[in-house]
Amino acid sequence: MAIQPKLIRFKENVLSKYQIYNSIFMTLPFDTISRTGVLLPLFHDICKNGFAKGKNPKEIIEFFFQSYLNNPSEEEKINLLFQFIQYIERQVVLFDAVEDAAFPIVNNMDGIGTLRNSKETAALENKKEALKKHLENFKVRIVLTAHPTQFYPGTVLGIITDLAEAIQNNNLLAINNLLAQLGKTPFFKHKKPSPFDEAVSLIWYLENVFYYSISKVYNYIQTNIFENEPIANEIINLGFWPGGDRDGNPFVTTEITLNVAKRLKQTILKNYYKDIRVLKRRLTFSGVEQTISELEKMLFDNSVNPEANNLIPLDEFKKKLYDIRDTLIQKHQSLFLEEINDFINKVHLFGYHFASLDIRQDSRIHHQVFTKIVETLNKSNKRVFPENYTSLSEDEQIEILSTIKENIAISVFDDEMVLKTLGSIHALKTIQKNNGELGAHRYIISNNQTALNVMESFAMINLCGFKSEATVDIVPLFETVDDLQNAANVMEKLYNNTAYKNHLKHRQNKQTIMLGFSDGTKDGGYLMANWSIYKAKENLTAISRKYGIKVIFFDGRGGPPARGGGKTHQFYASLGPTIENEEIQLTVQGQTISSNFGTLDSSQYNIEQLLSSGISNELFSNTSGKMTKDDIKIMEDLAQTSYNAYVRFKNHPKFLDYLEKMSTLKYYAKTNIGSRPSKRSESKKLNFSDLRAIPFVGSWSQLKQNVPGFFGVGTALKKYEDQGNFNRLIQFYNNSDFFKALIKNSMMSLSKSFFELTKYMADDKEFGAFWNLIYNEYKTTKHLILKLSGDQKLMQDNPVGKASIDVRENIVLPLLTIQQYALLNIQELQKNNPQNKELIRVYEKIVTRSLFGNINASRNSA
């Protein structure tokens, strides 16, 4: 039987099923749900028709009240709006579950970008040995972060998982019960989670998804590519930030860092225990039964009691497993060999650490801390630093920092930030002792600007007793456009430093460098951020190769394409030989975790896509798609033109006022979806440099004006149209995989924009001109991107992705209307004298509650 087109499969297995189950949800026998279920479709139609007729959100909602409610009181109106919000949140969850259930049907699990496809392509091109050789060194590291972009509590995550399974199995009774459970389960968090709470939430994915999906992918590689031979390389690593990321988060303490590491270890031991219990039921043969029983007891003891002292070293644990396997082969006809191999591979992949906990701090905090350390040590007559240290030049300070070897006790200091910072470094040692070196081996310096920033961290690590052979990788994070442009100079200075060079020698001459796309976009706009990162990677690759260093790039926020909401693997596959690609490392957060890695099928598929992108770039890359000198000149010009337009935009006198007064920016801090404050300083005055990228980008997303994904792109393209050179851009687009990936990812941002929602702002006395500035750039960008691609509509070559976006945007349209209605009411109420502060608070609560459904429906924040 012929396989139906992907879009047909989506419509039949996602869209149709969602409509069926949503109709069941509407008729559940709960008073609030049934009443809401009747009124919400009517409200949705009025919203859709109202925006089509150019009405503003307040007019739309007032018309609805007049049409379907009998002279309602203010309290009745507000109660109904809250019920709508709660219902729409659950509709998003239902659609998530339906889409998750249909994932392996809609997506070809053996198609392009999967490992099977890569293996078959390698065989056809006589590159099977090259594929094996590549996988002996290549790695993907997925780093889970807890930035506030998703709010689902654990109870709701469990419902989504169970609901997806029930839908897959067409279990109508279970579906009905789970929908009823969904209707009664609260979504809202009444208090902010602690960093430990965030860690526990994300460990759910490690325990229930990654443990199985990663090992399944690894087993496939070992069986089908390495023909059951052992692989020294893990190929897939997991990283973890909650509990270790101190950048701007005063709530992360040393105790929390240690407790998160402890929880990670307990969780992996619990998973091992569950697996070994299954093995024990099968391996009932002489020579293995006793060993299995001993390991079962050991794993149980240590998974329930972190203080248990009978956990054997990891190497010894592995040896016992290898001995069991050998016995099965030699004495028991290889019975259940596949099962023991699977378990051995899991232990090889996850060790006693499960995921590597990264420590991160801002360079500006570091510098303040280091200054305090120097002052304190000099006052206490500990001659570690010369008295005039702080007045020396950067080069002179670096020279001194290179020679620091003393082990200083933390008790010497009393400054809180010094204690926290040094405490986190000591925590690295403790975690390595308990969980193994991979438990925590990276110290990331965000907002890294100079070589001094790195050497201050290097010296602090030595002051904490790591000495010259420190088992810690120092990872500078370059974020702004200027810092990205200067990154190669910073690293060359470090590579020329004898002490740092020796440190790298002990770390296998590998240097990890993180590139922060979030703040790069906030600083320089979409095209410039992407191009700056691309050039920085080229320059850092060249300078690292010059000094014999293997550079590993770690991309913040899911890599450059994520800000446009695009396909990460396609972007990595577009990079050429001038950029080091032995490893792909990227942070994944919030709803991107649940959408890309929330189920076993989606997790396996997206892990394979990332692996295959690296394989494709190395083995199957199309050299004709690489940029020529003329292409580079055009890209440079496009980036600069776009950058100039974006800088003018963010320097507009109304820019910050618009975000503060017309968007949901200030409400992000009230959502209780993340432990970290929404801005870096405690100043009441809004400052651009203090703005965190997530609430910044999220606020544009809530407005349905996805500025970070397109602003400046249209201006840059129009320059070529005005000059009569647009055909040259079309040629560039058709020939360059990199440029094409950028444009297609920008398309997704445009697809998620809906300016009709805020069209009323065009007539606002204060902000009308500014709104029109954004809208005109949107129209220009959309028109010229379609002209460039030759498409008739956005995302034309990704109809399933577009269909999914359309359904999600359709679900949250009433929610966004309610949000804008509440914002308009707040603005009006604030003009009154005296103000009705209680009513203002109610509408502010409506704005805050309306954030969640849209955040989760968006699946990425731009």
Side-chain angles (χ1 to χ4, degrees), residues 581-597:
N581 67 340
E582 193 169 276
E583 293 192 27
I584 289 175
Q585 299 192 5
L586 67 164
T587 61
V588 189
Q589 65 198 45
Q591 71 277 44
T592 310
I593 297 172
S594 58
S595 62
N596 288 359
F597 304 99

Side-chain angles (χ1 to χ4, degrees), residues 367 370 374 384-386 388-405 448-460 462 489-501:
H367 187 67
F370 206 80
V374 172
V384 180
F385 297 94
N388 65 339
Y389 173 82
T390 54
S391 62
L392 296 176
S393 68
E394 179 181 313
D395 287 345
E396 289 170 325
Q397 288 183 344
I398 286 174
E399 193 59 38
I400 290 164
L401 296 173
S402 304
T403 62
I404 298 295
K405 301 240 185 278
N448 196 96
Q449 298 179 329
T450 65
L452 181 63
N453 295 149
V454 175
M455 292 307 293
E456 284 176 342
S457 303
F458 177 75
M460 274 198 271
N462 286 334
N489 294 331
V490 169
M491 295 314 300
E492 183 165 32
K493 184 177 279 193
L494 290 168
Y495 293 156
N496 277 312
N497 180 278
T498 303
Y500 195 77
K501 198 188 306 180

Side-chain angles (χ1 to χ4, degrees), residues 681-783:
S681 79
E682 296 180 9
S683 169
K684 289 186 178 180
K685 182 176 171 58
L686 186 62
N687 185 297
F688 185 80
S689 62
D690 285 338
L691 273 179
R692 287 209 169 272
I694 299 303
F696 172 76
V697 172
S699 297
W700 292 113
S701 177
Q702 296 284 334
L703 284 168
K704 290 298 157 189
Q705 303 168 8
N706 288 310
V707 160
F710 72 79
F711 201 95
V713 177
T715 299
L717 297 178
K718 193 171 189 307
K719 177 181 175 181
Y720 282 78
E721 185 183 53
D722 291 345
Q723 292 174 347
N725 290 332
F726 205 79
N727 283 338
R728 180 64 188 91
L729 276 190
I730 293 172
Q731 184 185 0
F732 178 32
Y733 174 85
N734 290 328
N735 290 341
S736 170
D737 293 337
F738 172 77
F739 185 49
K740 186 177 288 185
L742 289 191
I743 294 299
K744 287 190 176 295
N745 289 326
S746 188
M747 277 190 184
M748 189 173 283
S749 278
L750 295 168
S751 294
K752 292 181 179 181
S753 296
F754 181 65
F755 278 83
E756 287 85 346
L757 178 71
T758 56
K759 194 174 182 180
Y760 70 89
M761 294 182 187
D763 300 322
D764 187 271
K765 287 181 182 178
E766 185 178 0
F767 296 110
F770 188 75
W771 184 90
N772 276 299
L773 176 68
I774 301 168
Y775 183 47
N776 289 333
E777 182 67 15
Y778 162 80
K779 288 191 295 183
T780 302
T781 305
K782 181 180 176 181
H783 165 67

Side-chain angles (χ1 to χ4, degrees), residues 577-855:
T578 55
I579 291 176
E580 201 71 72
N581 67 340
E582 193 169 276
E583 293 192 27
I584 289 175
Q585 299 192 5
L586 67 164
T587 61
V588 189
Q589 65 198 45
Q591 71 277 44
T592 310
I593 297 172
S594 58
S595 62
N596 288 359
F597 304 99
T599 68
L600 295 177
D601 289 321
S602 63
S603 179
Q604 178 191 334
Y605 182 83
N606 283 296
I607 289 168
E608 288 193 25
Q609 293 286 319
L610 284 171
L611 283 167
S612 295
S613 69
I615 293 167
S616 172
N617 193 18
E618 180 69 19
L619 270 63
F620 315 130
S621 60
N622 177 12
T623 53
S624 64
K626 301 297 175 278
M627 282 189 273
T628 65
K629 286 184 179 179
D630 283 345
D631 290 339
I632 291 169
K633 191 176 177 182
I634 290 174
M635 191 67 230
E636 190 74 50
D637 183 53
L638 287 169
Q640 190 61 51
T641 305
S642 172
Y643 176 72
N644 293 340
Y646 181 79
V647 169
R648 286 194 303 272
F649 172 63
K650 76 173 185 179
N651 289 338
H652 192 285
K654 292 298 178 186
F655 184 89
L656 288 176
D657 286 345
Y658 182 80
L659 277 176
E660 196 163 29
K661 294 178 184 177
M662 307 301 279
S663 83
T664 59
L665 180 69
K666 63 184 177 185
Y667 297 96
Y668 264 79
K670 301 176 182 179
T671 55
N672 294 332
I673 57 174
S675 69
R676 195 172 68 170
S678 59
K679 58 179 187 169
R680 284 187 167 90
S681 79
E682 296 180 9
S683 169
K684 289 186 178 180
K685 182 176 171 58
L686 186 62
N687 185 297
F688 185 80
S689 62
D690 285 338
L691 273 179
R692 287 209 169 272
I694 299 303
F696 172 76
V697 172
S699 297
W700 292 113
S701 177
Q702 296 284 334
L703 284 168
K704 290 298 157 189
Q705 303 168 8
N706 288 310
V707 160
F710 72 79
F711 201 95
V713 177
T715 299
L717 297 178
K718 193 171 189 307
K719 177 181 175 181
Y720 282 78
E721 185 183 53
D722 291 345
Q723 292 174 347
N725 290 332
F726 205 79
N727 283 338
R728 180 64 188 91
L729 276 190
I730 293 172
Q731 184 185 0
F732 178 32
Y733 174 85
N734 290 328
N735 290 341
S736 170
D737 293 337
F738 172 77
F739 185 49
K740 186 177 288 185
L742 289 191
I743 294 299
K744 287 190 176 295
N745 289 326
S746 188
M747 277 190 184
M748 189 173 283
S749 278
L750 295 168
S751 294
K752 292 181 179 181
S753 296
F754 181 65
F755 278 83
E756 287 85 346
L757 178 71
T758 56
K759 194 174 182 180
Y760 70 89
M761 294 182 187
D763 300 322
D764 187 271
K765 287 181 182 178
E766 185 178 0
F767 296 110
F770 188 75
W771 184 90
N772 276 299
L773 176 68
I774 301 168
Y775 183 47
N776 289 333
E777 182 67 15
Y778 162 80
K779 288 191 295 183
T780 302
T781 305
K782 181 180 176 181
H783 165 67
L784 292 177
I785 275 183
L786 289 174
K787 183 177 178 180
L788 182 67
S789 63
D791 294 338
Q792 299 300 309
K793 56 186 179 180
L794 295 172
M795 297 179 68
Q796 186 171 306
D797 63 349
N798 183 11
V800 171
K802 182 67 168 66
S804 179
I805 288 171
D806 288 346
V807 176
R808 291 173 176 279
E809 296 298 313
N810 191 50
I811 291 171
V812 297
L813 181 64
L815 189 66
L816 294 164
T817 310
I818 292 168
Q819 183 183 95
Q820 287 297 318
Y821 171 77
L823 287 168
L824 281 165
N825 276 300
I826 291 166
Q827 290 166 17
E828 284 187 16
L829 288 165
Q830 285 174 339
K831 292 173 186 174
N832 295 341
N833 191 13
Q835 292 182 357
N836 186 338
K837 293 190 176 179
E838 182 56 37
L839 192 54
I840 290 173
R841 274 195 292 272
V842 170
Y843 280 114
E844 285 181 336
K845 188 178 178 184
I846 287 177
V847 174
T848 303
R849 292 290 283 113
S850 67
L851 291 172
F852 304 129
N854 186 43
I855 288 171

Side-chain angles (χ1 to χ4, degrees), residues 161-417:
T161 302
D162 294 342
L163 192 53
E165 184 180 344
I167 290 168
Q168 264 183 330
N169 297 327
N170 290 316
N171 187 336
L172 292 177
L173 178 62
I175 291 166
N176 194 70
N177 288 337
L178 287 163
L179 288 174
Q181 182 187 357
L182 185 64
K184 285 182 167 287
T185 301
F187 277 38
F188 187 65
K189 295 179 180 178
H190 293 285
K191 63 177 185 176
K192 289 177 80 69
S194 70
F196 185 75
D197 295 332
E198 291 174 328
V200 170
S201 294
L202 286 190
I203 287 172
W204 185 93
Y205 290 99
L206 300 183
E207 180 180 1
N208 294 287
V209 181
F210 284 105
Y211 180 73
Y212 302 99
S213 61
I214 288 176
S215 58
K216 187 175 181 181
V217 171
Y218 188 87
N219 290 346
Y220 179 88
I221 293 169
Q222 186 180 57
T223 304
N224 294 281
I225 297 174
F226 284 82
E227 297 170 346
N228 292 312
E229 290 298 314
I231 315 167
N233 180 23
E234 314 93 70
I235 300 175
I236 309 159
N237 292 147
L238 286 170
F240 205 74
W241 274 19
D245 183 8
R246 285 165 161 69
D247 179 13
N249 194 338
F251 307 110
V252 177
T253 63
T254 302
E255 182 183 14
I256 282 176
T257 301
L258 292 170
N259 284 338
V260 169
K262 195 180 290 184
R263 183 63 170 253
L264 285 165
K265 182 177 181 180
Q266 276 185 277
T267 305
I268 191 59
L269 293 178
K270 184 170 78 170
N271 277 27
Y272 290 162
Y273 170 68
K274 286 189 287 188
D275 272 5
I276 210 158
R277 286 196 68 191
V278 174
L279 277 171
K280 187 182 177 184
R281 289 172 67 91
R282 297 289 170 263
L283 304 185
T284 52
F285 321 130
S286 62
V288 298
E289 187 180 18
Q290 180 64 28
T291 306
I292 284 283
S293 294
E294 289 169 0
L295 292 177
E296 179 197 25
K297 182 180 186 309
M298 177 195 78
L299 291 169
F300 175 78
D301 291 346
N302 288 273
S303 64
V304 298
N305 177 20
E307 308 307 321
N309 59 4
N310 62 335
L311 187 67
I312 60 178
L314 183 63
D315 286 345
E316 190 179 332
F317 182 28
K318 287 181 179 179
K319 184 180 182 305
K320 286 181 180 291
L321 294 176
Y322 284 125
D323 289 345
I324 290 169
R325 186 178 67 178
D326 290 345
T327 303
L328 292 179
I329 294 169
Q330 293 163 13
K331 298 183 178 180
H332 302 293
Q333 294 78 48
S334 296
L335 269 171
F336 304 113
L337 187 63
E338 187 177 331
E339 286 81 354
I340 192 67
N341 279 338
D342 173 61
F343 189 57
I344 288 170
N345 285 343
K346 284 171 178 168
V347 175
H348 174 59
L349 289 164
F350 305 117
Y352 285 156
H353 64 283
F354 211 161
S356 297
L357 186 61
D358 288 344
I359 307 295
R360 184 172 77 132
Q361 184 54 283
D362 190 284
S363 67
R364 292 163 292 194
I365 297 294
H366 249 211
H367 187 67
Q368 292 169 20
V369 165
F370 206 80
T371 303
K372 282 276 186 188
I373 289 173
V374 172
E375 286 175 4
T376 303
L377 291 177
N378 283 344
K379 280 180 186 175
S380 60
N381 292 321
K382 293 184 183 294
R383 295 298 172 206
V384 180
F385 297 94
E387 286 190 18
N388 65 339
Y389 173 82
T390 54
S391 62
L392 296 176
S393 68
E394 179 181 313
D395 287 345
E396 289 170 325
Q397 288 183 344
I398 286 174
E399 193 59 38
I400 290 164
L401 296 173
S402 304
T403 62
I404 298 295
K405 301 240 185 278
E406 284 79 358
N407 185 358
I408 304 295
I410 292 185
S411 57
V412 172
F413 308 99
D414 55 17
D415 181 85
E416 184 183 2
M417 190 53 74

